[in-house]
């Protein structure tokens, strides 16, 4: 039977198991939308901005493990996807993004709403396709989903000219894909796994340093087995949180620039780092030479380019994390005799405990102002860690990573690689669309939330009852923190003042707005937010002076952490609620030059 | 350290810009890059001359391999490879220099492919060292124009012989 390009597209999406797409129509995709509206198998969620559609698709993909799908029009619709594509590329999120394109005979003519989206997205997609003939469409879609979801996952873009959506051809769905130039390695090399097992048996002070790869590969169970078998402490990257239970006694917390002292010191003291599904990002390593000065490194990752990119590795193993961990566990089980010396492990654990005792994670509670850390502790207590949590980017993100304990990596959505303000809320909506019955919470900042606030309409219309908790410090807090510490308290363009009124804003969209201004109100508003079955914005007025600690100042090594404000720090100026001007420059103190 | 990378890539629109874009985005060097068809119309061959320390070359090779359009990457370093380059050199030849020019052409087994009363165009093929040497000798005569193809390389068969 002959089908149009639009029909083929929808049919292929169904065969790929797509149940939800996020998108925004426009001229060249009207044919496609016309057909979309005449079927019921695929739900289309109309967003209020294409960037929102991309982050929703990301949230959907990360929470489900399936490919997220978005559809947008040509030109401005397509260019609005760039941030989402980069975000997905950096954080290895499988997406298929379909962009409309002007008709093939107009391509290259600077036609109305023509953008060279293939050229523009070469560097921010895992792969992209321009479909010039309707005969190629079905195979292209099959390949796109295959490429997006296998190997190291990532975004794939299909550019679909208008005439191709109307052209007809005999439809047949390719059952399998073979790409001679794309064969990701799944199984780890046996010899390397043997070497790793030998190194592990010799180690006295091992640490498992694990990342997003564990989550993507659904390897949480295998990681747990390995850690328990070896009685080995575990630290997670920002992307890896939830890959290992945040409440487990052998969990060290996150590592890196805003990691815990014990995690960073365990890495520093370690004699064997077992790095799994990580990429030695600079926010993790700090000064590379002093990151793990005494350790051998085993590095497991599906992406060969991640290995030896930033750091020398002794035992590289390319492969899918789940598969490699299973083989490694089997290899360790083969060995006779104990895998470690319990006395050595006790010493190692004591050494780590001593670091923790030296600088435990903590903050100074206040009875007057709300501390952001306190909000997260309360939220953890009230949800018992059983919620899908997303964040935006800034101090609130780091506070969440440090103070909320994650049990499941698929319930933790944050923009790690790109650090995209505006990611959190739409990502949560995508997850809520996938899991209507789950509790989905966004921790945001007064700055970040305004980068995709328009999606409040999407939440209300589609009955996606996400709870947005704004830790409102009236500042671009993370920027302000750096200005305080490294730019002599010169708060240039980081003050946001007190507008909008988020409660009224929520109400204007038809959502629920709540506010807490004192510590004793926090529990009440959180409980209320969790109770109502509607989208909620909770404006929590937190202490603007609070900084994220511990911290490794840029350019320093991870063992050189800072734990509190300098003694001569001034309180952060908080102009009158109605003052809309930037605060005047505070008396400049002779502070150190920014480091790095 | 100079490396010659020999690639087989899918003959698709965009393959070249992906590869070139990779080099610029990651700050790798391209000394020369040639693309040519192969026997199989769906496959192009590419020879990239680049330089960097071992870690950089390892990254370049891995990053190229990661590109979906790249079928195969071989670093010819340490392997038996024949590589060749061709140059076309147009030289000024004042009457008194014409004999000297022809002598140089002869030494390098090059050929004059075009001549006018005041110029010769010389074609020379060989490894880059040979071409550099010939250009060095021709330069004092006055080079008007010079184009080089960049290297192409192919693996030697086992038991094969011949000068590289
Ligand atoms: C799109 C984007 N623009 C700029 C930045 C730089 N940036 C990082 S954190 C931050 C401040 C975020 O402020 P807010 O959302 O209020 O969070 P807070 O740090 O106050 O918790 C900025 C501007 C960014 N990460 N993303
Ligand atoms: Mg803020």
């Amino acid at each position: 039977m002959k089908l149009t390009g639009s029909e083929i597209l929808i049919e292929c999406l169904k065969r790929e198991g797509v149940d939800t797409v996020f998108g925004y129509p426009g001229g060249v995709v009207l044919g496609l939308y016309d057909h979309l509206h005449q079927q019921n198998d695929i739900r289309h969620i109309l967003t209020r901005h294409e960037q929102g559609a991309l982050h929703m698709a990301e949230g959907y993909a990360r929470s489900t493990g399936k490919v997220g799908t978005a559809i947008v029009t040509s030109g401005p619709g397509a260019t609005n996807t760039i941030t989402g594509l980069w975000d997905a590329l950096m954080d290895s999120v499988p997406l298929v993004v379909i962009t409309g394109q002007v008709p093939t005979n107009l391509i290259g003519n600077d036609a109305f709403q023509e953008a060279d989206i293939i050229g523009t997205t070469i560097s921010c997609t895992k792969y992209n396709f321009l479909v010039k003939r309707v005969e190629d469409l079905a195979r292209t879609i099959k390949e796109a989903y295959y490429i997006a979801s296998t190997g190291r996952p990532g975004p794939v873009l299909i550019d679909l000219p208008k005439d191709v959506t109307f052209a007809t051809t005999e439809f047949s769905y390719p059952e399998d894909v073979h790409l001679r130039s794309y064969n990701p390695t799944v199984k780890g090399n046996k010899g390397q796994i043997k070497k790793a097992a030998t190194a592990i048996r010799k180690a006295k002070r091992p640490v498992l340093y694990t990342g997003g790869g564990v989550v993507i590969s659904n390897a949480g169970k295998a990681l747990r087995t390995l850690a328990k078998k070896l009685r080995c402490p575990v630290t997670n990257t920002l992307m890896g949180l939830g890959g290992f239970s945040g409440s487990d006694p052998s969990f060290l917390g996150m590592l890196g620039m805003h990691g815990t002292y014990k995690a960073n010191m365990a890495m520093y003291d370690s004699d064997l780092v077992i790095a799994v599904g990580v990429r030695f990002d600079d926010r993790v390593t700090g000064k590379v030479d002093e990151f793990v000065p005494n350790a051998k490194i085993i590095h497991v990752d599906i992406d060969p380019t991640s290995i030896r990119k930033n750091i020398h590795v002794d035992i590289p193993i390319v492969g899918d994390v789940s598969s490699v961990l299973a083989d490694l566990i089997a290899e360790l089980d083969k060995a006779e005799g104990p895998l470690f010396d319990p006395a050595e492990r006790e010493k190692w654990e004591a050494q780590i405990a001593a670091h923790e005792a030296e600088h435990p994670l903590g903050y100074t509670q206040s009875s007057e102002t709300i501390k952001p850390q306190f909000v997260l502790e309360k939220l953890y207590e009230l949800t018992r860690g059983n919620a899908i949590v997303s964040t935006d980017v800034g101090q609130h993100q780091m506070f969440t990573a440090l103070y909320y304990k994650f049990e499941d990596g698929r319930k933790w959505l944050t923009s790690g690689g790109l650090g995209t303000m505006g990611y959190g809320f739409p990502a949560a909506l995508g997850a809520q669309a996938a899991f209507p019955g789950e509790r989905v919470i966004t921790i945001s900042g007064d700055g970040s939330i305004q980068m995709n606030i328009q999606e409040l309409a999407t939440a209300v219309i589609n009955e996606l009852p996400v709870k947005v908790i704004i830790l409102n410090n009236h500042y671009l807090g993370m920027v302000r923190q750096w200005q305080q510490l490294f730019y002599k308290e010169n708060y240039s363009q980081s003050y946001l003042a007190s507008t909008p009124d988020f409660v009224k804003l929520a109400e204007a969209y038809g959502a629920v707005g709540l506010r807490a201004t004192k510590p004793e109100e926090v529990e009440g508003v959180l409980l209320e937010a969790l109770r109502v079955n509607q989208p909620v914005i909770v404006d929590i007025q937190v202490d603007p002076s609070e900084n994220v600690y511990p911290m490794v100042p840029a350019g320093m090594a991870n063992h050189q952490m800072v734990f509190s404000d300098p003694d001569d720090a001034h309180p952060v100026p908080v102009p009158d609620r109605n003052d809309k001007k930037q605060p005047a420059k505070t008396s400049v103190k002779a502070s150190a030059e920014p480091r790095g | 350290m100079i490396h010659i990378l020999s690639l087989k890539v899918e003959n698709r629109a965009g393959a070249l810009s992906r590869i070139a874009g990779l080099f610029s985005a990651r700050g790798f060097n391209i000394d020369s890059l040639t693309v040519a068809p192969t026997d199989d119309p769906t496959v192009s061959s590419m020879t990239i001359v680049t330089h960097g320390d071992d870690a950089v070359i390892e990254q370049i090779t891995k990053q190229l391999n990661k590109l979906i359009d790249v079928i195969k990457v071989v670093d010819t370093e340490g392997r038996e490879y024949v590589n060749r380059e061709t140059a076309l050199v147009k030289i000024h030849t004042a009457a008194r220099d014409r004999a000297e020019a022809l002598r140089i052409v002869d030494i390098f087994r090059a050929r004059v492919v075009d001549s006018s009363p005041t110029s010769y165009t010389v074609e020379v093929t060989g490894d880059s060292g040979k071409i550099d040497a010939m250009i060095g000798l021709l330069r004092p005569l006055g080079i008007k124009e010079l184009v080089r193809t960049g290297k192409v390389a192919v693996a030697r068969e086992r038991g094969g012989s011949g000068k590289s």
Side-chain angles (χ1 to χ4, degrees):
Chain A
M1 200 179 64
K2 285 202 176 220
L3 296 184
T4 66
S6 296
E7 290 167 337
I8 290 173
L9 177 71
I10 302 294
E11 194 51 40
C12 289
L13 296 191
K14 280 189 215 164
R15 306 250 184 140
E16 288 299 327
V18 174
D19 51 23
T20 309
V21 301
F22 305 90
Y24 210 99
V28 296
V29 287
L30 287 181
L32 179 55
Y33 271 83
D34 187 42
H35 184 63
L36 200 57
H37 204 53
Q38 298 172 39
Q39 55 82 47
N40 291 316
D41 299 307
I42 296 176
R43 174 188 190 193
H44 179 278
I45 292 184
L46 173 66
T47 66
R48 291 299 181 273
H49 191 299
E50 289 87 354
Q51 186 188 353
L54 269 274
H55 295 323
M56 284 181 215
E58 284 190 277
Y60 175 95
R62 281 173 65 171
S63 60
T64 59
K66 301 200 296 185
V67 178
T69 307
I71 303 177
V72 303
T73 192
S74 66
T79 56
N80 272 345
T81 67
I82 302 295
T83 302
L85 290 170
W86 266 114
D87 193 88
L89 187 75
M90 298 280 271
D91 286 347
S92 312
V93 185
L95 294 186
V96 169
V97 175
I98 296 150
T99 53
Q101 183 54 281
V102 300
T104 41
N105 65 330
L106 290 182
I107 291 179
N109 284 13
D110 300 325
F112 176 63
Q113 294 195 329
E114 178 185 3
D116 169 19
I117 210 67
I118 292 293
T120 309
T121 61
I122 277 185
S123 54
C124 59
T125 51
K126 185 170 172 187
Y127 199 64
N128 60 20
F129 296 90
L130 169 62
V131 183
K132 283 188 171 165
R133 302 174 338 131
V134 70
E135 293 79 16
D136 297 335
L137 184 56
R139 170 152 301 280
T140 301
I141 295 167
K142 182 84 195 171
E143 289 180 358
Y145 278 87
Y146 174 69
I147 291 171
S149 59
T150 51
R152 177 173 173 179
V156 176
L157 183 140
I158 301 174
D159 201 23
L160 190 57
K162 179 177 178 180
D163 52 328
V164 178
T165 67
F166 290 105
T168 58
T169 189
E170 209 58 50
F171 174 67
S172 84
Y173 189 65
E175 284 312 321
D176 48 30
V177 203
H178 171 73
L179 296 166
R180 61 181 165 190
S181 54
Y182 174 70
N183 296 296
T185 307
V186 173
K187 265 196 111 43
N189 178 287
K190 274 209 173 105
Q192 292 297 93
I193 290 172
K194 270 209 169 73
K195 271 192 212 161
T198 308
I200 287 171
R201 259 182 263 122
K202 283 190 195 145
K204 293 185 174 149
R205 298 183 304 283
V207 183
L208 274 155
Y209 146 46
T210 76
V214 169
V215 179
I216 293 168
S217 176
N218 300 313
K221 267 211 185 108
L223 172 62
R224 185 169 189 80
T225 308
L226 183 66
K228 294 295 148 194
K229 194 179 278 299
L230 301 176
R231 197 166 144 187
C232 180
V234 181
T235 178
N236 285 161
T237 65
L238 180 66
M239 294 302 294
L241 291 172
F244 190 76
S245 163
S247 56
D248 191 286
S250 52
F251 184 56
L252 302 173
M254 184 170 74
L255 82 169
M257 177 177 272
H258 286 298
T260 64
Y261 184 62
K262 69 171 166 177
N264 282 346
M265 290 312 289
M267 294 294 282
Y268 187 71
D269 293 340
S270 165
D271 69 346
L272 179 73
V273 166
I274 310 166
V276 185
V278 293
R279 57 188 179 88
F280 292 83
D281 175 81
D282 54 279
R283 281 291 192 267
V284 161
T285 62
K287 207 168 164 194
V288 181
D289 315 335
E290 294 172 51
F291 175 45
V292 284
N294 308 307
K296 258 198 171 189
I297 302 177
I298 300 170
H299 188 184
V300 183
D301 201 88
I302 197 155
D303 181 356
T305 67
S306 290
I307 291 174
R308 292 205 183 116
K309 181 172 60 183
N310 301 337
I311 200 164
H312 178 78
V313 169
D314 303 281
I315 308 174
I317 306 174
V318 176
D320 179 63
V321 166
S322 272
S323 161
V324 173
L325 289 188
D327 289 351
L328 180 60
I329 290 166
E331 183 64 34
L332 288 165
D333 285 345
K334 270 200 240 159
E336 291 178 17
L339 288 170
F340 57 86
D341 173 357
E344 288 289 355
R345 279 300 190 277
E346 242 148 72
K347 257 209 279 180
W348 180 218
E349 283 159 1
Q351 196 174 336
I352 292 170
H355 285 311
E356 169 153 51
E358 208 180 329
H359 293 293
L361 180 65
Y363 63 96
T364 311
Q365 179 57 308
S366 154
S367 57
E368 267 123 63
T369 58
I370 302 173
K371 296 289 178 173
Q373 301 94 326
F374 168 68
V375 179
L376 288 153
E377 284 180 342
K378 261 284 158 247
L379 187 70
Y380 176 71
E381 195 184 303
L382 297 176
T383 57
R384 276 170 255 104
N386 185 19
I388 296 176
V389 176
S390 78
T391 73
D392 271 304
V393 173
Q395 291 184 316
H396 63 275
Q397 177 188 32
M398 292 298 120
F399 286 133
T400 311
L402 289 169
Y403 287 89
Y404 196 91
K405 298 187 186 81
F406 295 93
E407 298 297 331
D408 178 350
R410 295 234 173 258
K411 295 188 169 184
W412 165 233
L413 310 171
T414 199
S415 170
L418 194 64
T420 311
M421 288 171 70
Y423 167 87
F425 181 39
L429 293 173
Q432 186 81 77
F435 296 101
E438 290 266 355
R439 195 171 253 170
V440 184
I441 300 168
T442 298
I443 310 294
S444 189
D446 46 327
S448 297
I449 192 62
Q450 296 187 65
M451 288 219 176
N452 272 317
I453 190 73
Q454 75 287 346
E455 301 307 336
L456 207 42
T458 313
V460 170
I461 302 277
N462 293 282
E463 300 183 348
L464 300 169
V466 168
K467 326 297 180 194
V468 181
I469 296 167
I470 302 176
L471 299 178
N472 189 345
N473 52 15
H474 305 280
Y475 272 93
L476 297 170
M478 189 57 98
V479 170
R480 185 205 52 68
Q481 174 168 349
W482 280 60
Q483 290 173 334
Q484 178 178 3
L485 298 177
F486 312 123
Y487 293 87
K488 303 178 183 172
E489 301 183 347
N490 185 22
Y491 299 123
S492 170
Q493 305 300 316
S494 54
Y495 178 59
L496 294 172
S498 301
T499 185
D501 178 329
F502 287 110
V503 172
K504 282 190 187 150
L505 187 76
E507 286 163 359
Y509 273 101
V512 176
L514 301 169
R515 176 172 291 127
T517 54
K518 297 196 213 78
E520 62 270 22
E521 294 166 358
V522 169
E523 180 159 354
V525 292
L526 290 182
L527 278 172
E528 176 61 10
L530 294 173
R531 191 189 62 77
V532 296
N533 191 26
Q534 283 178 72
V536 182
I537 290 212
V538 190
D539 177 21
I540 301 195
Q541 303 274 322
V542 298
D543 185 352
S545 293
E546 199 61 27
N547 285 334
V548 183
Y549 293 112
M551 176 181 195
V552 180
M556 305 290 266
N558 279 0
H559 58 96
Q560 298 165 315
M561 299 197 89
V562 174
F563 302 93
S564 59
D565 289 339
D567 294 337
D568 57 351
H570 302 90
V572 169
V574 187
D576 179 75
R577 251 192 98 73
N578 299 315
D579 192 343
K580 295 178 181 63
K581 287 197 288 287
Q582 294 288 318
K585 198 169 175 196
T586 41
S587 54
V588 170
K589 55 175 184 156
S591 86
E593 276 298 293
R595 306 149 167 142
Chain B
M1 181 75 177
I2 300 236
H3 283 245
I4 304 168
L5 307 178
S6 171
L7 281 72
K8 293 273 175 286
V9 306
E10 294 287 353
N11 179 17
R12 281 192 201 133
L16 177 61
S17 42
R18 278 172 226 278
I19 290 168
L22 170 76
F23 276 77
S24 64
R26 296 192 181 265
F28 300 144
N29 301 295
I30 298 185
D31 298 333
S32 77
L33 185 157
T34 64
V35 198
T38 66
D39 228 17
D40 177 347
T42 67
V43 176
S44 306
S45 84
M46 214 179 259
T47 308
I48 301 176
V49 182
T50 180
H51 63 270
D53 61 25
D54 288 352
V56 169
I57 300 293
E58 179 180 332
Q59 259 305 303
I60 292 176
T61 313
K62 284 174 167 178
Q63 293 286 358
L64 284 171
N65 263 311
K66 186 171 160 180
L67 292 179
I68 310 256
D69 285 333
V70 173
I71 302 167
K72 193 174 169 197
V73 182
V74 182
D75 182 356
T76 63
E77 182 66 27
R79 295 174 198 239
E80 289 290 296
Y81 259 78
V82 187
N83 72 73
R84 286 290 180 272
E85 186 176 359
T86 293
L88 295 173
V89 195
K90 193 184 284 176
I91 44 178
H92 291 285
T93 45
R96 62 190 154 81
D97 292 333
R98 286 180 84 90
E100 170 65 2
L102 289 179
R103 249 196 313 277
I104 295 169
V105 166
D106 204 38
I107 293 169
F108 286 93
R109 292 184 208 184
R111 310 196 285 150
V112 174
V113 290
D114 184 43
S115 82
S116 77
T118 56
S119 74
Y120 280 140
T121 299
V122 179
E123 174 200 311
V124 59
T125 295
D127 62 24
S128 304
K130 170 178 166 182
I131 292 173
D132 289 343
M134 189 180 91
I135 290 169
L137 290 180
L138 290 177
R139 196 170 295 282
L141 306 183
I143 292 180
K144 241 176 146 176
E145 216 179 316
L146 167 66
V147 279
R148 297 174 70 148
T149 58
K151 280 192 177 98
V152 292
V154 71
R156 256 184 216 294
E157 282 305 302
R158 211 172 298 187
S161 66
K163 286 177 274 179
S164 65

